[in-house]
Amino acid sequence: MLLVQNLTIAAMQKHFLTSWWLVECWPQVFNKLIRRYKYLEKGFEDEVKKLLLFLKGFSESERNKLAMLTGILLANGTLNASILNSLYNENLVKEGVSAAFAVKLFKSWINEKDINAVAVSLRKVNMDNRLMELFPANKQSVEHFSKYFTEAGLKELSEYVRNQQTIGARKELQKELQEQMSRGDPFKDIILYIKEEMKKNNISEQTVIAIIWSSVMSTVEWNKKEELVAEQAIKHLKQYSPLLAAFTTQGQSELTLLLKIQEYCYDNIHFMKAFQKIVVLFYKAEVLSEEPILKWYKDAHLAKGKSVFLEQMKKFVEWLKNAEEESESEAEEGD
């Protein structure tokens, strides 16, 4: 253990932190030692955590070099990403030391690997949703994080955090939506909540309609008999049509819903014969309109169950086309 302490301290001292030693030698020294003596691994990580807690004791130049070395050691697997916990120290965060150190660290880490590898390491230790804690509470927003790290040349990290925030917001939306449905909350309240979340988290209508469909289909225990499940589905979905209709105001949202229906009916074998009935129901309830249905039929459908579902929809699509032609003819005669 004393060897680890002495080596760690030596590596961080100014005369050892030349660029060549930093990039080529010290990472190899630590990596080889810990590979050979596995029991040193925890002791080394503990020493690094202590060093990070006392970053204010280093000059800015020394902190930058330490950050570079730490990034390389994270990249080659010598260190575990859990050492980043030290950067969430209240005093380091308050004085901006943590964020500045993180910039150099992540630049070094991403330069050795890539953002995907970094994301995997962060996820393993549940750090993937904590990066905004590098800033004080009043600055913990995606906008501030993105601006700070993008200006520092880490656009990929900014985009990663933004995506993580969006994924988290979607999960939270689906969880709350399912709870509201199980309570039987009025649709007007549910719609208001969803629209507020869309605005707050910049979630598209296409994403929302997919979440609503998934939530609606998960609120009921479906009959295992194919001849009964279609009737059960129509009754259930008819009830939720006003909610779905509120979020299919765009053609692309309607197409997204059609694809979700197709995917669900294919993945759940008892629903294979219910696809056309669901689409017709949604057409009558003004959840879906002619154009997206025709587009889906022509070239926008999935490969899953394609032949079965296209055959089911054939007569209805022909009826839609005829109705559309009749409407055009009547409009021409009116002119």
Side-chain angles (χ1 to χ4, degrees):
M1 192 63 70
L2 187 60
L3 174 64
V4 171
Q5 290 175 334
N6 290 338
L7 278 172
T8 307
I9 292 167
M12 306 314 165
Q13 287 177 347
K14 191 171 181 178
H15 61 281
F16 279 98
L17 286 172
T18 61
S19 296
W20 181 75
W21 269 93
L22 181 70
V23 177
E24 298 295 335
C25 294
W26 280 117
Q28 291 183 34
V29 170
F30 286 124
N31 191 260
K32 287 179 180 178
L33 265 174
I34 289 169
R35 278 189 175 184
R36 187 169 181 179
Y37 306 105
K38 286 295 289 181
Y39 65 89
L40 294 176
E41 186 174 355
K42 188 178 185 308
F44 179 55
E45 286 188 358
D46 289 342
E47 292 304 314
V48 173
K49 287 176 183 177
K50 290 176 190 175
L51 278 170
L52 297 186
L53 284 172
F54 293 99
L55 283 176
K56 289 196 294 182
F58 294 93
S59 68
E60 184 179 354
S61 173
E62 289 167 343
R63 284 199 296 267
N64 289 343
K65 290 172 183 176
L66 174 56
M68 288 173 62
L69 176 58
T70 306
I72 294 169
L73 293 172
L74 284 164
N76 68 21
T78 305
L79 285 175
N80 185 288
S82 62
I83 59 111
L84 298 177
N85 265 313
S86 295
L87 295 181
Y88 300 134
N89 174 273
E90 186 178 353
N91 292 325
L92 295 177
V93 169
K94 185 178 178 181
E95 296 187 26
V97 174
S98 294
F101 186 86
V103 166
K104 299 294 182 182
L105 182 152
F106 279 109
K107 276 188 176 179
S108 177
W109 192 356
I110 293 170
N111 186 55
E112 292 292 313
K113 292 287 188 177
D114 58 36
I115 190 61
N116 294 322
V118 171
V120 169
S121 297
L122 292 172
R123 200 175 301 120
K124 282 180 180 177
V125 293
N126 297 317
M127 288 281 183
D128 48 328
N129 291 315
R130 293 192 62 195
L131 293 181
M132 281 195 287
E133 293 176 38
L134 292 166
F135 298 100
N138 63 343
K139 293 182 178 178
Q140 287 180 16
S141 68
V142 176
E143 289 70 25
H144 180 78
F145 187 99
S146 182
K147 185 175 185 295
Y148 185 91
F149 280 92
T150 299
E151 288 177 355
L154 282 165
K155 186 178 179 182
E156 59 267 68
L157 185 64
S158 300
E159 291 175 348
Y160 167 72
V161 168
R162 188 176 290 279
N163 288 338
Q164 285 299 109
Q165 186 74 3
T166 302
I167 291 168
R170 290 174 188 171
K171 288 180 179 177
E172 187 59 34
L173 172 59
Q174 182 152 13
K175 181 184 175 184
E176 177 60 25
L177 185 55
Q178 288 172 343
E179 288 178 2
Q180 290 178 351
M181 288 178 181
S182 65
R183 290 196 305 263
D185 290 3
F187 286 156
K188 62 181 180 61
D189 294 343
I190 297 176
I191 290 168
L192 181 62
Y193 165 74
I194 294 173
K195 287 184 175 179
E196 286 175 352
E197 289 299 303
M198 287 173 69
K199 185 176 180 181
K200 184 170 72 174
N201 296 297
N202 194 30
I203 304 174
S204 69
E205 189 178 82
Q206 291 94 318
T207 300
V208 163
I209 196 61
I211 291 172
I212 295 172
W213 167 260
S214 175
S215 299
V216 166
M217 297 306 283
S218 66
T219 59
V220 65
E221 188 173 338
W222 297 107
N223 199 301
K224 298 292 187 248
K225 294 182 179 179
E226 190 175 30
E227 63 273 15
L228 298 176
V229 78
E231 184 181 345
Q232 184 188 11
I234 296 304
K235 185 178 179 181
H236 179 67
L237 292 171
K238 188 175 183 179
Q239 177 189 349
Y240 283 97
S241 291
L243 178 60
L244 290 156
F247 298 97
T248 51
T249 64
Q250 303 166 14
Q252 192 58 45
S253 304
E254 294 182 56
L255 190 54
T256 297
L257 178 57
L258 276 162
L259 294 173
K260 288 296 175 183
I261 299 168
Q262 180 184 353
E263 191 172 45
Y264 188 90
C265 290
Y266 178 82
D267 291 340
N268 297 271
I269 192 69
H270 299 304
F271 280 81
M272 285 293 284
K273 293 181 180 179
F275 178 78
Q276 185 262 2
K277 292 177 182 177
I278 294 172
V279 174
V280 172
L281 167 69
F282 284 161
Y283 175 75
K284 290 179 178 178
E286 298 185 347
V287 176
L288 297 172
S289 56
E290 294 90 336
E291 191 175 334
I293 294 172
L294 294 174
K295 181 172 177 56
W296 172 87
Y297 187 83
K298 182 181 179 183
D299 56 21
H301 46 260
L302 300 171
K304 292 181 174 182
K306 171 183 169 182
S307 58
V308 174
F309 298 135
L310 290 180
E311 182 61 32
Q312 281 184 31
M313 290 292 291
K314 188 175 180 181
K315 288 183 179 179
F316 181 60
V317 166
E318 286 174 359
W319 180 84
L320 283 178
K321 287 178 178 177
N322 291 334
E324 194 174 38
E325 288 170 4
E326 286 176 11
S327 296
E328 288 174 0
S329 298
E330 288 174 3
E332 287 173 4
E333 289 172 7
D335 292 341

